[in-house]
Amino acid sequence: MARRRGFGEVERRVSASGTVTYRARYAMPDGTRYSRTLATRMDAEAWLVGERGLIDRDEWTPPQARRAAEEKRQRDAAFNTVAGFAERYLSERSLRPTTIRGYRKLLANRILPYFGETPLTDVSLTDIKRWRASLDPTTEATNAAAYRLLRSLLQAAAEEELIDRAPPKVRGASSAPVRNVAVPATLDELAVIIDAMPERLRLLIVLAAFVGLREGELLELRRSDVDGVAGRIDVTRKVDKDADPGTQGACPDCGRHISSPKTRSGVRTVHVPPPFVKMLQEHLLEHTAEGPTGLLFPGDRTDHMSVRFLMDRYRPAREAAGRPDLTIHHLRHTALTLAGQHGATAAELQARAGHASQAAMAIYQHATLDRDKALAEKIGQTYEAWSADRTS
């Protein structure tokens, strides 16, 4: 039976299993009825009192709309924590898979253990300084990367007006001192490494050490990217070796993620020093996969070569040269050092390397293909002179 009151009514209900509940209900002037079932009569009557209070204060809206608004408020509150906003930040931006992977690692290991459930509005400069002081001092580079990510999150939150402004910068927090300076390889060391590599991989070492191509760029070079007569190579793609296989942009044959270079300046044309053009031509004939899209350095099944396969062959070669410290990236450093020694300007070095920075963008226009070719020729002349002295 329903128990009538001054506003609404409460009905006691018994289910087939014997469970007792109480349904509170009321009608609005337009005849629309609203109800809610609760566990006790006291709860049901309290709900009616609350609804009547909203009507008296002219604050009433349909209960369903209020529930939806509360759910939205709770969702917004969750997104307005550092953890919630970080998830939005990663999902709403066009970031590379490798970038997302790196950011998630920084969040999980450095940022969220300290700031995870903290509301964005509560993150202060003092909190950031305390957080930095809590980090492992032996991982300065990672700490600096974590700070840069946290600051980016807070700046994005400020742009969306979720906070009034991002806390001021912490001086020096975004950079870390360079502990291990790459030592370029000498021409003698490079000769030993090249000779110790399998024939199919010697050109890869040359393109890394004398042209300055990145590992991911080398592994994605194809026959159509190379002009064997002019010794010219177009760099337009790279393998993202740390990306999850099968993600969007993955190679259908091997699952590796292929993307354009990280910046617009990474798309470039470079020249091989003349002494190595014959090696390039022979490699195209003997070791490159068939067809215009055939990989310059294919794996065992003509798909992409794995980094492990490459390193299993490169590691003994660098040890033979007495340079166990020399990574593939250090070979690229060697190439840029050689270019600098031969008079390359900052603009030419950045153009040849495919680097980009706001400070350098204004002068990129002075780095031309003709100048890059001349630079390659100078490097080639030095190599030829060294080679002649070595054999005499």
Side-chain angles (χ1 to χ4, degrees):
M1 294 290 294
R3 178 179 173 183
R4 294 193 176 276
R5 312 160 32 89
F7 173 78
E9 59 186 18
V10 175
E11 179 186 7
R12 182 177 183 273
R13 310 181 77 181
V14 182
S15 69
S17 62
T19 302
V20 177
T21 57
Y22 295 85
R23 185 176 70 168
R25 60 186 178 183
Y26 64 93
M28 293 299 287
D30 64 359
T32 307
R33 300 182 68 86
Y34 299 93
S35 66
R36 185 173 180 184
T37 299
L38 296 156
T40 67
R41 181 180 297 277
M42 183 179 296
D43 289 339
E45 291 178 346
W47 181 73
L48 286 174
V49 170
E51 294 295 293
R52 179 58 185 267
L54 291 174
I55 294 171
D56 291 343
R57 295 191 301 272
D58 200 23
E59 296 175 359
W60 183 90
T61 56
Q64 186 175 2
R66 269 179 275 150
R67 285 195 295 272
E70 175 60 19
E71 290 171 0
K72 182 179 183 300
R73 187 195 66 77
Q74 291 178 358
R75 287 196 303 271
D76 290 345
F79 278 134
N80 289 345
T81 64
V82 173
F85 186 72
E87 191 61 36
R88 267 187 56 199
Y89 182 93
L90 295 183
S91 64
E92 294 178 358
R93 283 161 176 77
S94 299
L95 300 173
R96 295 171 179 275
T98 49
T99 301
I100 293 176
R101 180 190 290 258
Y103 282 176
R104 288 198 181 282
K105 189 173 182 180
L106 289 173
L107 286 166
N109 297 337
R110 292 293 194 280
I111 298 174
L112 297 187
Y114 193 98
F115 285 114
E117 299 308 314
T118 304
L120 290 166
T121 52
D122 290 352
V123 180
S124 67
L125 180 61
T126 300
D127 294 325
I128 294 174
K129 288 181 176 180
R130 287 174 179 166
W131 164 67
R132 289 192 66 246
S134 73
L135 298 176
D136 183 352
T138 65
T139 58
E140 291 178 302
T142 304
N143 297 347
Y147 171 78
R148 291 194 298 271
L149 176 56
L150 177 61
R151 181 158 178 81
S152 294
L153 291 172
L154 294 173
Q155 286 176 321
E159 290 171 3
E160 294 187 25
E161 299 183 345
L162 298 176
I163 57 176
D164 291 335
R165 60 188 291 270
K169 286 184 179 180
V170 177
R171 182 176 296 180
S174 61
S175 59
V178 178
R179 298 295 184 188
N180 300 314
V181 179
V183 178
T186 65
L187 293 178
D188 287 318
E189 290 167 347
L190 290 175
V192 172
I193 292 172
I194 292 169
D195 287 343
M197 291 294 287
E199 283 191 14
R200 61 185 287 198
L201 292 176
R202 289 177 182 174
L203 179 67
L204 185 146
I205 302 301
V206 167
L207 296 184
F210 290 93
V211 182
L213 298 190
R214 298 177 175 90
E215 183 178 295
E217 294 168 346
L218 289 164
L219 296 180
E220 173 54 16
L221 282 179
R222 298 176 183 271
R223 187 183 291 273
S224 57
D225 298 321
V226 180
D227 183 336
V229 176
R232 189 168 62 236
I233 296 176
D234 295 326
V235 181
T236 61
R237 301 170 311 282
K238 66 182 179 69
V239 174
D240 294 324
K241 63 179 182 179
D242 294 326
D244 292 327
T247 55
Q248 185 177 7
C251 168
D253 297 326
C254 63
R256 293 183 183 276
H257 191 274
I258 309 301
S259 67
S260 58
K262 187 174 183 180
T263 65
R264 184 178 301 175
S265 298
V267 178
R268 64 201 187 279
T269 297
V270 291
H271 292 82
V272 177
F276 299 111
V277 171
K278 183 178 180 182
M279 178 189 289
L280 173 64
Q281 294 168 346
E282 292 174 347
H283 184 94
L284 287 168
L285 290 172
E286 298 174 12
H287 304 297
T288 302
E290 295 295 329
T293 61
L295 289 165
L296 200 64
F297 303 106
D300 285 338
R301 300 183 304 276
T302 73
D303 60 0
H304 288 88
M305 180 183 300
S306 70
V307 174
R308 180 176 180 179
F309 180 94
L310 171 61
M311 290 306 300
D312 284 347
R313 286 144 186 82
Y314 175 64
R315 198 173 292 110
R318 70 183 180 185
E319 289 174 356
R323 291 298 306 273
D325 61 307
L326 200 66
T327 66
I328 299 292
H329 185 73
H330 290 164
L331 294 180
R332 170 175 158 83
H333 180 75
T334 298
L336 301 181
T337 300
L338 281 171
Q341 290 170 346
H342 287 80
T345 66
E348 290 162 350
L349 279 174
Q350 295 216 7
R352 188 165 175 81
H355 279 163
S357 69
Q358 291 182 350
M361 288 300 290
I363 57 176
Y364 270 158
Q365 58 187 331
H366 302 300
T368 65
L369 285 180
D370 289 342
R371 176 60 181 161
D372 186 87
K373 184 176 180 181
L375 196 58
E377 289 173 350
K378 280 189 176 183
I379 295 172
Q381 289 167 7
T382 296
Y383 177 82
E384 286 179 324
W386 168 84
S387 183
D389 289 341
R390 187 188 185 207
T391 57
S392 61

